[in-house]
Amino acid sequence: MTLDLSRIADQLNRMVATQRGDGLAGLAELRETYATVDTADLRGRLAEAKTSWLLARTDGDFRAHVPAPAVDGDFAVVASDGSFILPDRHSPARFYLINIGKVLLRYGDEPRAEFATEPHLYYQEDELYVPHTVRRIPVNGTVLGLKRATEELRAVAEQATDLPCPALALQDGTLILWALESQPDFVVEWVLDPFLETLARLRDAGVPVAAYISAPGSTDVVNTLRVSICDYPERGLPVNCDHCRSQIPHGRVPACDRLPDVTDRFLFEQAAGLAPGERTQVFASTSKILEQYGPDFHIHFFYLHTGTEIARVEIPRWVAEDVDLLDRTHAILVDQCQRGRGYPPALQEAHELAAIRAEERRAVEVLIEQALAEHGIVALSTGKDGSKRGRFV
């Protein structure tokens, strides 16, 4: 063991002693703010507010709690998850690998379960770089993570759109491709075009798609509550959070600082009283990258009490605005969480299928070396790579 735990034991104890109970100090203020928020006034504030925070917008009742609809008849859950082996400059061959785990669980009169994996090795020159007439960006960790997201969505759509019963296409994580915000336009197009095409395929087939986020760290709704109690500037002028913050050195204490620095998950669990099986109102994300999604695919979200935690569920706009598809998504997710003791078993199984373990990564390297040897190519390792495979001291 190279990590000396005894050296950090005292630091760990001091760290735990400084914790404030994850926002419990401001719980009363948070409860009062949530209970008294004026939805109409808040909607007007949000229309003109200037803030660098992500906010949660809604046309409905900000405080609405919706109980789970019943699940009737036959239905299916189709889930996918993915993992990858990154390109490695120490490898004797240039490649990367994406492995997709696919799960289909059907319930009702004809129950069945299908499990499969879909590994794909990418090694062609045009696969190793994002295509562009002038620049070439190699497929690195960030770009590969985005490509994996498109492949996961494609895999789930291929199964979900041909089923004879109502289905839910389920993803682990997010439908908002956050990493695109830092990418050049041609990378955005390379990733987003097939992603949106797959969303359109699901929409046209009438199959709702949802992304499930366990233990979410988002603060969109809490940020919106901060706007609701803002008292700056005065005289009914638009809220300007950035300017307000600039006045702190001059002695101003922002009204929103009364609220604790907590996540939306904490809000709905501790302050809003969301009951098991209930979901919140559907909110629209204000992420800038969604401007490139187009209006029909703008991502919305709600929070769901699974019975063991508060999860964030993301859905496209066309699901959010269709009552039947929204109810189907809500009902099936509650059913899945009940079957999986708080987490959808379809996602759990998809993750297990997709995961590439250390011994499997090494097996891929060995197969490559053997294939090279059969073609008379000696695989020479770099000094650093060789040092990792054997200890000499």
Side-chain angles (χ1 to χ4, degrees):
M1 180 182 294
T2 57
L3 176 61
D4 188 349
L5 297 177
S6 65
R7 299 286 295 273
I8 64 170
D10 289 342
Q11 298 172 49
L12 288 172
N13 289 331
R14 289 195 296 271
M15 178 190 73
V16 172
T18 61
Q19 301 302 302
R20 297 185 304 164
D22 195 21
L24 291 177
L27 181 57
E29 186 71 35
L30 188 64
R31 282 175 173 164
E32 180 181 357
T33 301
Y34 181 80
T36 58
V37 64
D38 184 330
T39 299
D41 176 71
L42 176 58
R43 192 174 297 123
R45 284 171 171 252
L46 292 177
E48 299 181 306
K50 296 180 180 179
T51 173
S52 56
W53 302 336
L54 284 174
L55 301 173
R57 301 180 185 275
T58 180
D59 293 330
D61 181 358
F62 191 85
R63 296 190 303 269
H65 290 189
V66 182
V71 181
D72 297 321
D74 293 349
F75 67 92
V77 184
V78 181
S80 67
D81 199 6
S83 62
F84 53 72
I85 297 178
L86 280 165
D88 185 358
R89 72 177 189 274
H90 298 285
S91 173
R94 293 194 304 161
F95 75 95
Y96 59 90
L97 184 146
I98 297 179
N99 188 46
I100 303 295
K102 302 186 295 184
V103 172
L104 189 157
L105 302 177
R106 182 169 176 177
Y107 302 94
D109 295 334
E110 300 180 13
R112 76 173 193 271
E114 296 180 7
F115 306 91
T117 59
E118 183 183 309
H120 191 92
L121 190 70
Y122 297 87
Y123 59 91
Q124 301 285 0
E125 187 72 12
D126 60 349
E127 295 173 333
L128 297 172
Y129 296 87
V130 180
H132 190 252
T133 54
V134 178
R135 298 174 57 192
R136 290 202 312 173
I137 291 184
V139 176
N140 54 28
T142 300
V143 175
L144 186 51
L146 293 166
K147 182 174 177 59
R148 179 189 63 179
T150 65
E151 291 300 305
E152 290 172 356
L153 191 64
R154 174 197 55 78
V156 80
E158 288 178 350
Q159 288 184 292
T161 53
D162 295 327
L163 293 172
C165 62
L168 172 65
L170 194 55
Q171 300 279 267
D172 180 42
T174 178
L175 291 175
I176 304 174
L177 302 179
W178 298 99
L180 285 178
E181 292 184 348
S182 61
Q183 300 298 320
D185 290 343
F186 70 93
V187 175
V188 173
E189 293 176 4
W190 184 70
V191 170
L192 201 53
D193 285 353
F195 190 82
L196 297 180
E197 287 172 5
T198 305
L199 285 179
R201 179 179 178 182
L202 288 163
R203 177 200 60 194
D204 296 344
V207 177
V209 57
Y212 184 95
I213 305 174
S214 178
S218 306
T219 58
D220 309 46
V221 180
V222 173
N223 290 342
T224 306
L225 286 181
R226 296 187 190 281
V227 172
S228 75
I229 61 172
C230 179
D231 60 358
Y232 180 89
E234 300 176 353
R235 299 183 301 278
L237 296 175
V239 172
N240 189 330
C241 297
D242 294 337
H243 190 269
C244 175
R245 289 281 154 185
S246 71
Q247 301 305 305
I248 292 178
H250 303 291
R252 174 172 178 76
V253 179
C256 65
D257 278 0
R258 299 199 306 266
L259 298 183
D261 186 15
V262 296
T263 63
D264 294 344
R265 175 182 61 182
F266 180 91
L267 166 68
F268 290 114
E269 183 177 50
Q270 300 292 335
L274 198 65
E278 288 185 339
R279 68 164 174 84
T280 66
Q281 178 62 267
V282 176
F283 302 99
S285 172
T286 58
S287 170
K288 290 184 178 179
I289 193 62
L290 295 179
E291 295 173 3
Q292 301 190 55
Y293 275 50
D296 207 27
F297 302 116
H298 194 103
I299 301 304
H300 292 54
F301 64 92
F302 60 83
Y303 287 92
L304 174 68
H305 196 315
T306 69
T308 59
E309 69 163 342
I310 303 295
R312 172 167 161 142
V313 179
E314 295 181 352
I315 52 178
R317 179 179 178 178
W318 53 270
V319 176
E321 294 181 345
D322 187 309
V323 175
D324 293 336
L325 295 183
L326 180 59
D327 283 349
R328 184 197 303 180
T329 301
H330 184 184
I332 292 179
L333 279 175
V334 170
D335 181 82
Q336 277 284 286
C337 290
Q338 290 174 344
R339 295 175 188 271
R341 292 177 294 183
Y343 187 78
L347 287 179
Q348 179 183 356
E349 296 298 331
H351 171 77
E352 291 298 321
L353 290 167
I356 303 175
R357 293 164 179 80
E359 60 271 18
E360 294 170 330
R361 294 173 186 268
R362 179 55 189 150
V364 171
E365 295 174 356
V366 171
L367 286 173
I368 289 174
E369 292 170 359
Q370 291 175 346
L372 289 171
E374 290 175 0
H375 287 80
I377 303 173
V378 178
L380 298 176
S381 64
T382 64
K384 182 175 182 179
D385 185 51
S387 72
K388 292 179 180 179
R389 300 188 183 188
R391 301 290 295 275
F392 307 108
V393 177

